Amino acid sequence: MNYKIIRINSAAKNAVHSSVLIIYTGGTLGMAYDESGALVPFNFGQIMEKVPTLTNMNIAITVISFPEPIDSSNINMQHWFDMAYIIYENYDSYDGFVILHGTDTMAYSASMMSYMLNGLSKPVVFTGAQLPISAMRSDARENLMTALEIASAKSNGKPVVPEVCIFFNHMLLRGNRSKKVQSVHFDAYESENYPALAEAGIIIDYNLAAIRPYEETKKLKFFNKLDNNVIIIKLFPGITAAVLDSCFSIKGLRGVVLETYGSGNSPSEKWFIESLEKAVKKGIIILNVSQCNGGRVIQGRYHTSKDLKRIGVLSGSDITTEAAVTKMMFLLGNETDDAEVRRKLVLPIAGEMSPPN
């Protein structure tokens, strides 16, 4: 991919105290209205015209832009490879990274980056906007400026937030704990099962107890193998055996994220359990996650989930669907033993879920 590189002088050279690489993938934040009133990507070389207060931040900013901005609905594995590789390739040259991304699939991408960038000890802050940067009431300016501030923040020479996160509408959330919950309001994201990492008001109030600790000795490792032979099945009243059997008969299918009710409950009819059991015996890995925003799977708590545990369906605890499906793709791509995939699916590998009780 031929990336476009733009270097921005946001402060006098002797005043710069940190450097941040912005990766522009696409999305509403990087759009502006042209003379006809249509939304088009704007030139990041003119970012100072859009956000003049950037000159007060004393940050050396470089922008690497994808050749063609992507609507986040079109994000695929190749784009994840590109994002992770850009960070890996430029890791030693910058204090932090900001990824500008469309909102619809941002939680998926942030989750995947947390797995692909193993040993990360610098901030990777995803952000975007609900309104383009040229709009009068746009949230883009504040989201961008605060994301840059967080990506460059240090305490005693060490990064304050050395992990993958999402900043949106005053809140900093762990990336692989986040979920998009709004499409028409500025507070687009929530993290119901994990506390916010920071809240931006007059100052940025960091929740240090919730942030992954900085580990100076860790070396960044870039994992570039993924397996997308997975599906998500969302249960609903009235689901039929034909639907399940059709899903489980997909050629090459290796993993299923099963969205169940409440704390991991599902129909207890014989046909339903037999369909899942047959899939498990075929070697298909099934991970049970809750449909609830803020739900937690506790298999066996109710009678309707006891059989799932008995036949070998795995418990996803309090993981989000976004983090679950990307984790499954990651583990299936990088582990050669399915037993190891199963073992790691139920354990946190990047802070994406609570440890088992």
Side-chain angles (χ1 to χ4, degrees):
M1 182 179 284
N2 297 316
Y3 306 110
K4 299 177 183 178
I5 301 175
I6 303 168
R7 289 180 173 80
I8 300 168
N9 295 319
S10 62
K13 191 172 182 179
N14 60 0
V16 170
H17 66 78
S18 59
S19 58
V20 174
L21 176 63
I22 296 175
I23 302 169
Y24 175 57
T25 68
T28 302
L29 187 147
M31 308 296 279
Y33 294 104
D34 66 10
E35 293 179 357
S36 68
L39 278 173
V40 296
F42 80 87
N43 181 357
F44 270 92
Q46 300 171 343
I47 186 69
M48 292 306 172
E49 297 176 16
K50 304 291 184 183
V51 193
T53 48
L54 283 175
T55 57
N56 301 323
M57 298 188 72
N58 298 333
I59 300 173
I61 300 171
T62 301
V63 179
I64 290 182
S65 177
F66 279 21
E68 296 295 332
I70 309 157
D71 186 299
S72 71
S73 298
N74 290 322
I75 287 288
N76 59 39
M77 291 198 302
Q78 184 59 54
H79 301 131
W80 287 335
F81 294 143
D82 292 337
M83 289 179 221
Y85 182 72
I86 290 170
I87 293 172
Y88 178 74
E89 187 180 41
N90 293 277
Y91 191 68
D92 293 333
S93 301
Y94 297 91
D95 297 303
F97 304 85
V98 170
I99 300 180
L100 304 183
H101 194 291
T103 59
D104 285 344
T105 57
M106 189 185 295
Y108 291 93
S109 293
S111 296
M112 186 59 88
M113 289 303 103
S114 74
Y115 306 135
M116 294 179 75
L117 297 170
N118 181 265
L120 183 74
S121 59
K122 293 182 180 182
V124 175
V125 186
F126 279 79
T127 195
Q130 298 287 62
L131 289 173
I133 201 164
S134 59
M136 184 170 57
R137 294 187 303 105
S138 176
D139 54 337
R141 300 177 194 86
E142 183 175 339
N143 285 349
L144 174 59
M145 289 186 61
T146 309
L148 286 166
E149 188 173 353
I150 292 166
S152 64
K154 297 178 184 177
S155 176
N156 298 320
K158 300 174 182 178
V160 176
V161 189
E163 62 173 286
V164 180
C165 45
I166 289 176
F167 179 79
F168 222 90
N169 193 46
H170 310 295
M171 303 302 294
L172 182 71
L173 309 175
R174 175 166 289 173
N176 56 30
R177 291 286 196 149
S178 302
K179 180 182 286 289
K180 185 177 181 182
V181 296
Q182 292 284 352
S183 61
V184 294
H185 298 290
F186 288 143
D187 53 343
Y189 292 91
E190 289 182 359
S191 174
E192 288 295 321
N193 287 334
Y194 197 78
L197 306 186
E199 184 171 358
I202 295 175
I203 62 169
I204 300 177
D205 185 15
Y206 291 100
N207 182 4
L208 298 178
I211 297 171
R212 298 191 79 185
Y214 173 72
E215 298 179 76
E216 189 172 7
T217 58
K218 276 200 169 183
K219 300 296 182 183
L220 183 67
K221 185 176 181 181
F222 165 45
F223 286 88
N224 62 355
K225 294 180 181 178
L226 302 174
D227 188 336
N228 64 347
N229 288 297
V230 302
I231 61 171
I232 299 170
I233 299 177
K234 187 183 185 79
L235 295 188
F236 58 92
I239 192 170
T240 65
V243 168
L244 277 187
D245 291 342
S246 177
C247 289
F248 291 137
S249 65
I250 295 171
K251 186 177 180 180
L253 181 66
R254 297 187 66 195
V256 174
V257 173
L258 184 68
E259 282 198 354
T260 57
Y261 310 123
S263 56
N265 302 312
S266 68
S268 55
E269 285 97 337
K270 184 179 179 182
W271 67 263
F272 180 84
I273 300 301
E274 286 181 349
S275 181
L276 267 63
E277 186 172 17
K278 187 165 56 175
V280 171
K281 287 180 178 178
K282 281 171 55 179
I284 295 173
I285 299 170
I286 303 177
L287 182 66
N288 184 0
V289 304
S290 175
Q291 295 182 11
C292 302
N293 186 18
R296 179 170 185 156
V297 169
I298 310 174
Q299 288 190 158
R301 181 176 186 178
Y302 296 98
H303 174 72
T304 47
S305 66
K306 284 183 179 179
D307 282 337
L308 298 182
K309 185 176 182 179
R310 176 183 61 80
I311 65 175
V313 173
L314 304 174
S315 171
S317 183
D318 57 357
I319 197 170
T320 64
T321 297
E322 294 88 339
V325 71
T326 50
K327 182 178 182 180
M328 188 173 279
M329 293 166 70
F330 173 78
L331 291 175
L332 288 172
N334 289 283
E335 297 292 344
T336 56
D337 183 0
D338 280 0
E340 190 66 5
V341 174
R342 291 185 178 91
R343 187 185 75 83
K344 290 186 175 180
L345 274 173
V346 300
L347 298 173
I349 63 172
E352 74 284 357
M353 63 196 297
S354 299
N357 294 327

